[in-house]
Amino acid sequence: MKKFLGITLGILTAIGGFVDIGDLVANALVGSRFGMSLAWVVLLGVVGICVFAEMSGRIAAVSGRAVFDLVRERLGPKAGLANLGASFFILGMTVAAEIGGAALALELATGVNYLLCVPAVAFAAWLVMWRVKFETLERVFGLAGLALVIFVVALWQLGPDWAQLWHQASHPVPPQDEGVPTYLYYAIALLGGAMTPYEVFFFSSGGVEEKWTRRDLSVSRANVLIGFPLGGLLSLAIAACAATVLLPAHVQVDSLDQMVLPVALGAGQVGLALVILGVFAATFGATLEVALSSGYSLSQYFGWQWGKFVRPREAARFHATILVVMIVATALILTTVDPIMVTEYSLVFSAAALPLTYLPVLMIANDRDYMQDKVNGVFSNTLGTIFMILLVAVSIAAIPLMLATKAGQ
Amino acid sequence: MTRARVLHAQLHLLDRQVVHDRDGRLVCKVDDLELDFDDQGRPYVTAILMGPLALGPRVGGVLGRLMEGAARLLGAEAPPRIPMADVSRVASAVHVGGDLERPALERWVRTHLIEPIPGARHEAE
């Protein structure tokens, strides 16, 4: 049991990355429009995030340095600041969207308009970050987010045409009524969702919060190898549910209640209750992950004391950052901007910023000054280099594709 | 006997995290270095400089000037320095000893924003 609780950091990180509000909707939307023909992107994303999260976890365990320390160290103050600015903008938008997503889940459960739930959700999230121990936080929300496994159960209950789903997955071409640019746009959005930079900000900082040392390298690796594939599985199950129920009916998903509809059909009332719980836990957990990441990244760039392992007054600037981000994000979502649209855009922007974050990680993982004997092996370097090339291509294509397809219309 | 390490100021010192030896507290980044020259005119590093007044000029542009301006508003005149004599080890972080004042911004934020909130002095539960 204790061993199992040791991997909740990976689970929470992956849930915040793979099935937060933007990805929940993006996956269901992709399933309802493209079937399973984009499944390969999710698999690719799982491998990619595993490779870089393993490196960043290893760096954190051996050297005690988290990802944004590395960004400043290897990119220098100017390019590091550019990355910080871009990351911070994306993090702020994402926090707003996750608060909105958690409030939407509450609206589904209670019928109270989501805007009325927003301040309560934001305050509760801030209170958790202010008072609750890091281990408790990751365990509670990581495990509650596992309620989303109901998507796998519901898919089973729906009794889909497995052969057809397999056929879609093994033929990575867009369906007849969809164009190639749109298909590629969603491929990039899914990859951006799977490999969101804040996952490694959070994962490596979480390793430092948990005081990982060289002895914990196996714990770090177990977190990576269980957490992220699980996130990928949930992601695929959501798309498959939508492909089974909504694709034949030509329904295009653009809201949360459409997304949970297949679960209600497949697993009934209990399933619906579980899925709403799962969505709430996942979005609330993602709120914590992203808001904490904003504090981590700013503090690590400037070298401030950060972390929940010290009293708040010892890390005043870190906690002030989180507080300000939460207030701004709450204000943003109260302007009645559509939270789901906000994340759709932030996914693509973060795809554009991917190389800026992962290149320093790859460089430092090869630096004996930091890693002593734990530098990358041939396997990590080969995969890391291949993904680096892919990410550069993705970052160049992301914004033009977004403009060309009018964000996947 | 191991051979003495050659340190590359740009690679091994600049932009690295500074950690306090006594309690492992994160102090700052190596925002800039103070140099002096010996009799033969060779430069050597005398101190680590920290804070916005040290980082601002390295960032340059409008943002750099904003950093410096904000620091001067808080009453800073010169960037705080840590003499190289206090540096005990250079690894994935630069370890320093000695007594250090907390940065002006940390003190200001702590007094005016964080400490008034209940629970600021307590460990998380």
Side-chain angles (χ1 to χ4, degrees):
Chain A
M1 192 64 200
K2 197 167 182 307
K3 272 218 162 67
F4 177 71
L5 287 178
I7 57 161
T8 46
L9 174 62
I11 294 176
L12 178 61
T13 308
I15 282 177
F18 275 92
V19 285
D20 65 330
I21 186 68
D23 294 306
L24 284 169
V25 177
N27 279 307
L29 179 84
V30 163
S32 72
R33 278 179 65 175
F34 300 93
M36 295 303 284
S37 63
L38 280 161
W40 61 275
V41 179
V42 176
L43 295 177
L44 191 71
V46 169
V47 176
I49 189 68
C50 279
V51 168
F52 288 107
E54 190 279 327
M55 281 182 216
S56 67
R58 182 157 34 99
I59 294 168
V62 173
S63 73
R65 302 270 73 81
V67 166
F68 234 90
D69 285 324
L70 320 179
V71 169
R72 163 101 185 248
E73 165 80 14
R74 277 296 169 267
L75 296 182
K78 268 189 202 155
L81 192 63
N83 185 354
L84 181 69
S87 298
F88 219 79
F89 177 70
I90 293 162
L91 286 166
M93 290 218 302
T94 314
V95 174
E98 304 300 346
I99 294 171
L104 283 171
L106 282 181
E107 181 180 22
L108 273 185
T110 60
V112 177
N113 185 294
Y114 84 96
L115 286 173
L116 292 173
C117 306
V118 163
V121 168
F123 181 72
W126 172 78
L127 204 60
V128 168
M129 290 185 276
W130 178 250
R131 294 297 302 143
V132 178
K133 246 207 187 87
F134 191 84
E135 277 90 348
T136 317
L137 166 159
E138 73 175 40
R139 276 172 196 177
V140 170
F141 296 102
L143 295 177
L146 286 180
L148 287 174
V149 171
I150 192 70
F151 272 103
V152 181
V153 177
L155 182 64
W156 198 262
Q157 297 283 351
L158 283 168
D161 182 351
W162 295 101
Q164 198 200 353
L165 287 182
W166 173 248
H167 178 85
Q168 291 168 352
S170 55
H171 292 72
V173 286
Q176 274 125 12
D177 50 349
E178 298 283 359
V180 173
T182 323
Y183 179 80
L184 288 177
Y185 171 79
Y186 279 109
I188 283 179
L190 282 180
L191 191 73
M195 296 187 70
T196 324
Y198 65 72
E199 291 174 275
V200 290
F201 299 162
F202 185 72
F203 186 69
S204 62
S205 306
V208 177
E209 293 265 23
E210 292 193 14
K211 301 189 171 68
W212 283 353
T213 61
R214 299 172 80 95
R215 280 199 299 277
D216 298 299
L217 283 172
S218 58
V219 177
S220 164
R221 199 157 293 156
N223 268 291
V224 169
L225 292 178
I226 294 169
F228 295 108
L230 186 76
L233 174 73
L234 293 177
S235 184
L236 287 174
I238 292 167
C241 278
T244 305
V245 175
L246 305 171
L247 179 70
H250 298 290
V251 176
Q252 278 206 21
V253 178
D254 55 7
S255 69
L256 205 57
D257 48 336
Q258 288 167 312
M259 187 213 102
V260 302
L261 181 72
V263 178
L265 291 175
Q269 281 287 325
V270 176
L272 189 62
L274 272 174
V275 81
I276 291 173
L277 170 72
V279 169
F280 178 77
T283 48
F284 195 84
T287 306
L288 304 176
E289 176 175 340
V290 181
L292 282 168
S293 293
S294 69
Y296 291 144
S297 53
L298 195 71
S299 307
Q300 285 157 16
Y301 175 86
F302 285 108
W304 302 342
Q305 174 67 53
W306 53 269
K308 294 179 51 53
F309 53 90
V310 292
R311 295 185 176 101
R313 70 184 293 269
E314 300 294 325
R317 288 167 297 184
F318 165 74
H319 276 284
T321 307
I322 292 173
L323 185 60
V324 171
V325 165
M326 288 301 286
I327 291 169
V328 171
T330 308
L332 181 66
I333 216 69
L334 286 177
T335 59
T336 70
V337 55
D338 178 10
I340 288 165
M341 278 303 294
V342 170
T343 39
E344 298 285 302
Y345 285 115
S346 65
L347 278 183
V348 177
F349 282 121
S350 70
L354 285 170
L356 279 178
T357 298
Y358 291 119
L359 184 65
V361 173
L362 183 60
M363 287 165 91
I364 298 266
N366 283 294
D367 187 330
R368 289 201 177 269
D369 221 28
Y370 278 78
M371 305 301 292
Q372 293 138 21
D373 57 325
K374 295 291 180 195
V375 284
N376 269 358
V378 175
F379 181 71
S380 284
N381 274 340
T382 309
L383 277 177
T385 310
I386 293 171
F387 270 99
M388 224 39 249
I389 295 165
L390 175 74
L391 292 179
V392 170
V394 162
S395 72
I396 294 168
I399 306 288
L401 270 176
M402 182 166 120
L403 297 172
T405 61
K406 297 193 179 65
Q409 294 301 311
Chain B
M1 275 298 282
T2 48
R3 287 183 44 228
R5 253 175 88 202
V6 176
L7 282 182
H8 190 298
Q10 178 94 28
L11 184 68
H12 294 108
L13 289 173
L14 274 182
D15 295 318
R16 211 158 272 213
Q17 182 69 43
V18 178
V19 178
H20 204 284
D21 261 337
R22 195 172 36 215
D23 48 9
R25 193 156 54 81
L26 303 170
V27 180
C28 62
K29 284 278 194 276
V30 180
D31 286 320
D32 204 353
L33 294 168
E34 184 184 84
L35 300 178
D36 207 343
F37 295 92
D38 64 7
D39 312 339
Q40 284 95 26
R42 278 182 308 222
Y44 62 97
V45 177
T46 49
I48 288 169
L49 300 175
M50 60 164 124
L53 286 181
L55 183 61
R58 285 185 65 220
V59 171
V62 179
L63 277 172
R65 280 200 295 278
L66 269 177
M67 275 183 202
E68 288 177 78
R72 289 189 200 283
L73 273 182
L74 283 170
E77 280 158 23
R81 56 194 294 277
I82 304 172
M84 283 310 275
D86 286 347
V87 173
S88 57
R89 194 155 63 91
V90 177
S92 64
V94 178
H95 295 257
V96 299
D99 284 315
L100 299 166
E101 254 211 346
R102 289 186 191 271
L105 180 66
E106 176 82 4
R107 287 201 308 268
W108 190 92
V109 171
R110 177 190 291 187
T111 323
H112 295 90
L113 189 70
I114 296 299
E115 282 195 334
I117 304 173
R121 292 164 186 274
H122 300 284
E123 295 282 355
E125 286 157 25

